[in-house]
């Protein structure tokens, strides 16, 4: 299967309704992480092309914002339908460039499209306010308006959904977008642009630019025409972009790294907890920001949980994501694999034991065995740094207060999970966890209807749900006076 065979394959950037190469004709190579083979190239654009895209977006803004919410919604829904109609092709393209199992890719296409469907509806519900004025001849009116050009910078782990989660609300409320996808997974983004073109977005409203991350990022962050930057990626790059955006006082949303605690209490349903732990830890080969990073099992069920968790992990099938049987694909690249190896070796040196896995997979290349470590110490790197790979460290704890304090001992605050059947504990622990999201008796929480996002160094802002439009809107206060004449 070759990516060039797909009808949605595009190897150029989409700017102002045109498919273009880099001014310099430079290109970036894109590889299949399962085979390490080059699957194609995309343009290596820089500052000039980014400026072009921003100016095109800004030019398209008056026409796009002037459309009624219903008219914008019709185009978004058409985009949604085209994505669903092309689900299989989009999923195969995603697996080729990203490596995730084909069933996960299919799931991501539907999940990604659900944001477009949701925000196509939500666009019609951008309500304002009227507020009683203290003076009788006056009224206070509050209206909400689109911020303007939105820049989106997205990572490789969800090459489709991270784009739709940002662009659907922006476009729905009347903002044009410039998207910079990850260099390792550009084809999913370009395929989305091809479908957006077919759906009938006016030229310039949706632009995709590939190329030099820091040059494109600098321009997106410093150009005063960009009124909002929405970034998903590492905390390290997020902090750099936050500083750069300060120069033009842009609105920013930051969906950054995480270090999720996953707690199993004595009173939990252990079989359910094992299913949740597998989903949360090993989905996308552990390369998600909401992955369980620290699994805490209470004394009374520790042994039973570990034994069942190891058994379930042994049933995972590692391989090329295009194989329907595969449940664990490759890591995205050798650097990610090296980080996983480093975390495992470090934990072992500090006393951890391997319950299963613990080394590269016999398939070689970027494949690593699904791994569980027990007796992991607090000093181990894996206890505080994001591993972003298929390694589950399990820790033992005694009581609720202890585990809450362990769970909150992190600069990150994205996702957290716990399993319990005690209603009092469910309330107490949900409220005590310092995380933007809490999954109770589930290892999967993401959905278009719910607000996704983190606190502390995991980010700013929320995506999805009715809250997901706020970051793309400005609140305007109008004071109507002289109404008694
Ligand atoms: P990354 O290195 O920060 O890259 C993310 C995006 O930023 C890519 O498009 C990348 O472009 C671009 N980029 C890199 N350097 C840049 C710079 N100097 N200026 C502007 N843009 C720059 O992160 P990643 O390794 O792709 O993704 C993994 C991280 O994302 C993890 O920490 C994960 O937790 C986080 N994540 C968070 C969420 C969330 O919602 N909170 C969701 C998914 C992932 P190139 O690809 O061209 O380098």
């Amino acid at each position: 299967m070759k990516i060039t065979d797909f009808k949605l394959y595009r190897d150029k950037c989409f700017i102002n309704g045109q498919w273009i190469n880099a001014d310099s004709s430079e290109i970036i190579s894109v590889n299949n992480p399962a085979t390490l083979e080059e699957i194609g190239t995309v343009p290596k654009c820089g500052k000039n092309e980014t400026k072009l895209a921003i100016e095109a977006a800004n030019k398209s803004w008056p026409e796009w914002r002037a459309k009624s919410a219903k008219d914008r919604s019709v185009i978004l829904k058409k985009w949604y339908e085209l994505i669903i109609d092309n689900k299989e092709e989009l999923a195969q393209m995603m697996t080729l460039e990203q490596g995730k199992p084909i069933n996960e890719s299919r799931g991501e296409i539907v999940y990604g499209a659900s944001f477009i469907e949701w925000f196509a509806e939500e666009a019609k519900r951008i309500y304002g306010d009227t507020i009683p004025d203290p003076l009788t001849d006056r009224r206070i009116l509050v209206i909400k308006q689109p911020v303007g050009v939105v820049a989106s910078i997205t990572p490789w782990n969800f090459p489709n959904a991270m784009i739709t989660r940002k662009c659907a609300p922006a476009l729905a409320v009347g903002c044009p977008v410039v998207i910079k996808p990850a260099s390792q997974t550009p084809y999913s983004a370009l395929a989305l642009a091809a479908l957006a073109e077919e759906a009938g977005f006016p030229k310039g409203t949706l632009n995709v630019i590939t190329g030099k991350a820091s040059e494109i990022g600098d321009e997106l962050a410093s150009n005063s025409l960009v009124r909002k930057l929405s970034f998903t990626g590492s905390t390290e790059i997020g902090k750099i972009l936050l500083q750069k955006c300060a120069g033009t006082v842009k609105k920013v949303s930051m969906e950054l790294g995480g270090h999720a605690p996953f707690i199993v209490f004595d009173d939990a349903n252990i079989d359910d907890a094992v299913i949740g732990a597998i989903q949360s830890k090993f989905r996308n080969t552990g390369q998600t920001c909401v992955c369980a990073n620290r699994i805490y099992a209470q004394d009374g069920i520790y042994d039973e949980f570990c034994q069942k968790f190891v058994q379930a992990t042994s049933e995972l099938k590692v391989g090329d994501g295009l194989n329907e049987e595969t449940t664990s694909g490759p890591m995205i690249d050798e650097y990610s694999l090296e980080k996983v190896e480093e975390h495992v070796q470090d934990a072992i040196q500090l006393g951890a034991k391997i319950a299963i896995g613990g080394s590269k997979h016999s398939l070689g290349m970027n494949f690593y065995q699904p791994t569980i470590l027990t007796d992991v110490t607090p000093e181990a790197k894996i206890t505080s740094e994001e591993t972003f790979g298929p390694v589950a460290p399990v820790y033992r704890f005694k009581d609720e207060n202890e585990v809450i304090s362990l769970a909150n001992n992190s600069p990150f605050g994205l996702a957290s999970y716990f399993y319990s059947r005690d209603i009092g504990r469910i309330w107490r622990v949900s409220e005590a966890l310092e995380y933007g999201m809490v999954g109770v008796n589930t290892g999967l929480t993401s959905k278009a209807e719910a607000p996704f996002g983190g606190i502390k160094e995991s980010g700013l802002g929320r995506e999805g749900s009715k809250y997901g439009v706020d970051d793309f809107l400005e609140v305007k206060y109008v004071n109507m006076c002289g109404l008694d004449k």
Side-chain angles (χ1 to χ4, degrees):
M1 186 181 294
K2 289 210 278 204
I3 202 138
T4 45
D5 294 338
F6 292 111
K7 74 176 190 318
L8 292 174
Y9 165 76
R10 300 286 185 282
D11 63 353
K12 295 182 170 51
C13 294
F14 188 61
I15 296 178
N16 202 20
Q18 292 183 320
W19 294 93
I20 62 143
N21 282 314
D23 291 349
S24 64
S25 303
E26 281 183 278
I27 49 173
I28 298 174
S29 167
V30 184
N31 300 319
N32 176 344
T35 61
L36 308 185
E37 284 161 8
E38 183 182 270
I39 55 172
T41 62
V42 288
K44 193 175 190 178
C45 294
K47 186 180 170 75
N48 286 347
E49 300 88 333
T50 312
K51 272 176 110 168
L52 262 184
I54 295 168
E55 280 157 17
N58 193 50
K59 205 162 161 213
S60 79
W61 189 31
E63 182 193 340
W64 185 243
R65 72 181 292 181
K67 282 190 187 298
S68 70
K70 187 162 183 201
D71 286 347
R72 285 195 299 269
S73 174
V74 167
I75 300 177
L76 279 157
K77 277 192 184 150
K78 179 79 189 149
W79 194 26
Y80 164 79
E81 282 157 14
L82 287 167
I83 291 170
I84 295 299
D85 290 348
N86 288 280
K87 174 178 136 184
E88 189 56 31
E89 172 158 339
L90 290 166
Q92 292 188 10
M93 291 174 82
M94 187 188 296
T95 293
L96 268 173
E97 65 178 354
Q98 203 277 343
K100 68 176 68 179
I102 186 70
N103 266 324
E104 285 191 25
S105 293
R106 290 179 186 125
E108 182 180 338
I109 300 302
V110 175
Y111 169 64
S114 72
F115 288 97
I116 302 176
E117 186 187 37
W118 170 267
F119 285 111
E121 289 301 323
E122 206 57 20
K124 301 175 195 165
R125 294 186 270 272
I126 307 303
Y127 303 131
D129 269 320
T130 56
I131 303 172
D133 195 294
L135 299 176
T136 54
D137 69 329
R138 293 159 194 221
R139 302 290 181 274
I140 296 168
L141 203 70
V142 179
I143 59 172
K144 293 184 182 170
Q145 296 183 302
V147 287
V149 176
V150 169
S152 297
I153 303 181
T154 53
W156 48 264
N157 61 346
F158 289 95
N160 173 294
M162 295 303 100
I163 292 175
T164 58
R165 205 163 74 175
K166 297 176 185 311
C167 294
L171 289 162
V173 302
C175 301
V177 296
V178 178
I179 303 158
K180 151 59 187 106
S183 297
Q184 285 162 310
T185 55
Y187 293 123
S188 296
L190 294 168
L192 278 175
L195 293 174
E197 186 181 23
E198 199 180 329
F201 284 96
K203 71 174 186 171
T205 29
L206 184 147
N207 307 273
V208 179
I209 181 161
T210 58
K212 301 169 201 164
S214 58
E215 230 182 87
I216 297 173
D218 279 0
E219 186 60 29
L220 292 174
S222 61
N223 192 312
S224 57
L225 293 179
V226 175
R227 292 314 311 149
K228 153 100 198 185
L229 185 135
S230 179
F231 173 76
T232 295
S234 59
T235 297
E236 181 196 351
I237 302 292
K239 286 180 182 175
I240 294 172
L241 287 169
L242 260 177
Q243 284 174 348
K244 288 187 176 158
C245 285
T248 46
V249 195
K250 290 187 201 328
K251 270 181 176 268
V252 286
S253 290
M254 295 277 151
E255 294 289 351
L256 310 176
H259 206 274
F262 184 107
I263 307 166
V264 188
F265 287 101
D266 280 347
D267 61 82
N269 178 318
I270 305 302
D271 294 332
D272 285 354
V274 168
I275 293 170
I278 293 280
Q279 287 171 331
S280 169
K281 178 68 258 181
F282 294 114
R283 189 168 59 112
N284 204 1
T285 317
Q287 302 171 113
T288 86
C289 53
V290 291
C291 267
N293 280 269
R294 288 166 284 149
I295 300 188
Y296 295 106
Q298 200 164 2
D299 257 346
I301 50 82
Y302 182 90
D303 292 336
E304 181 190 353
F305 173 78
C306 286
Q307 181 257 317
K308 288 184 168 170
F309 188 31
V310 168
Q311 174 59 35
T313 302
S314 73
E315 288 162 18
L316 294 172
K317 294 200 169 42
V318 178
D320 189 324
L322 287 173
N323 182 340
E324 294 282 345
E325 306 294 303
T326 296
T327 55
S328 275
M331 307 279 310
I332 189 73
D333 56 31
E334 61 186 292
Y335 307 108
S336 304
L337 189 87
E338 278 167 16
K339 185 173 183 193
V340 167
E341 288 187 300
E342 184 197 327
H343 275 195
V344 170
Q345 286 315 314
D346 168 75
I348 291 169
Q349 271 164 23
L350 291 167
K353 296 194 178 64
I354 298 170
I356 186 169
S359 58
K360 277 180 158 180
H361 195 273
S362 56
L363 285 170
M365 292 179 282
N366 293 338
F367 291 96
Y368 197 87
Q369 296 183 65
T371 295
I372 297 176
L373 302 175
T374 56
D375 300 305
V376 184
T377 51
E379 303 74 36
K381 284 182 186 168
I382 203 165
T383 308
S384 53
E385 293 175 24
E386 199 180 21
T387 308
F388 233 57
V391 185
V394 188
Y395 308 79
R396 192 188 281 270
F397 72 94
K398 286 197 173 56
D399 60 41
E400 194 178 300
N401 286 340
E402 179 198 4
V403 80
I404 287 170
S405 135
L406 288 168
N408 288 341
N409 184 18
S410 170
F412 295 109
L414 191 59
S416 58
Y417 310 87
F418 70 93
Y419 279 70
S420 169
R421 304 301 313 166
D422 178 321
I423 188 67
R425 169 171 281 162
I426 286 174
W427 275 100
R428 285 193 304 276
V429 179
S430 297
E431 289 176 0
L433 286 171
E434 293 169 358
Y435 288 82
M437 296 173 283
V438 183
V440 183
N441 296 320
T442 178
L444 294 174
T445 56
S446 307
K447 52 202 88 176
E449 295 78 3
F452 187 105
I455 61 171
K456 297 186 186 169
E457 294 190 23
S458 286
L460 299 167
R462 292 294 179 270
E463 293 184 336
S465 82
K466 66 172 183 174
Y467 304 102
V469 290
D470 294 346
D471 283 334
F472 301 99
L473 292 166
E474 293 286 9
V475 169
K476 184 180 277 179
Y477 152 50
V478 181
N479 201 185
M480 293 191 174
C481 303
L483 302 181
D484 56 344
K485 296 202 179 76

